[in-house]
Amino acid sequence: MVISAVYVVGSMPPSMAAQDSGFDARGATPLRQDAETAQKVARLREIDRKVRAHEAAHVAAGAGLVTRGAQFTTVRGPDGRQYAIAGDVQIDVSPGKTPEETLQKAERIRAAALAPADPSPQDRKVAAQAAQMAAQARIELAKAQQEDAKRAQNDAQPSNPTPFPVQHALARYRANGA
């Protein structure tokens, strides 16, 4: 299962690499173009920071569950640098060997999925699946506890009760004036 983040980069084209002719299609001056480029770079830096922090939160909270570290989708900015605009982390979402282990693992998966400050829709989906896994594990645990309680109750009752206690109680009743 993959937990991920994707940030929409507004109206910026995927390549973000602009041909520098000195003027854009609207006839903007180089000064305006520099300001626009600086804004685009600043926006890309902010998105890159958020994406990397988002995925780092998954990795930190998913210690022991992460099967593949953070991978990023990047775009080249107008300054020629690569900026992350999306990322994902793969985690192990298989059930444990026992219901107890499955319950603990499901809780850790849910925590890893919801670790970022702004979980993505995919993160929320993984968290919901982990909650289902935990609920199923709780049901299995409750069934096992009920079976153990029945077994203990059956073991506590004598398998071949003798009539002696009943006869003894009846004799006492008669002796006391019944």
Side-chain angles (χ1 to χ4, degrees):
M1 183 65 60
V2 175
I3 48 182
S4 63
V6 176
Y7 286 87
V8 178
V9 188
S11 61
M12 292 183 226
S15 71
M16 292 300 297
Q19 297 291 329
D20 190 8
S21 64
F23 294 92
D24 64 12
R26 295 169 293 178
T29 64
L31 191 56
R32 179 179 168 144
Q33 188 176 20
D34 288 344
E36 288 175 3
T37 299
Q39 281 183 324
K40 287 178 183 178
V41 169
R43 176 77 175 130
L44 283 170
R45 279 189 186 136
E46 179 65 14
I47 291 169
D48 181 89
R49 185 191 62 75
K50 286 181 179 180
V51 168
R52 291 181 189 280
H54 184 104
E55 300 310 327
H58 287 311
V59 171
L65 297 173
V66 176
T67 59
R68 189 197 74 217
Q71 289 194 334
F72 301 100
T73 301
T74 61
V75 296
R76 183 176 309 279
D79 59 354
R81 294 187 176 151
Q82 293 289 326
Y83 295 95
I85 59 165
D88 64 75
V89 173
Q90 282 189 348
I91 60 171
D92 175 14
V93 294
S94 63
K97 295 177 181 152
T98 65
E100 293 89 352
E101 189 178 305
T102 299
L103 181 58
Q104 290 174 352
K105 190 172 182 182
E107 289 169 353
R108 290 180 55 221
I109 291 167
R110 186 173 182 281
L114 298 176
D118 57 342
S120 69
Q122 175 66 19
D123 297 340
R124 292 182 194 285
K125 180 180 175 184
V126 171
Q129 290 171 339
Q132 283 182 313
M133 185 188 328
Q136 185 61 40
R138 284 186 188 98
I139 290 169
E140 290 176 26
L141 281 170
K143 284 180 184 177
Q145 288 172 347
Q146 285 177 339
E147 290 172 6
D148 289 347
K150 273 186 180 178
R151 241 182 266 120
Q153 186 179 8
N154 289 340
D155 290 347
Q157 293 178 353
S159 59
N160 192 7
T162 62
F164 178 74
V166 174
Q167 288 175 350
H168 186 66
L170 186 57
R172 273 195 192 166
Y173 176 74
R174 289 183 184 147
N176 288 332

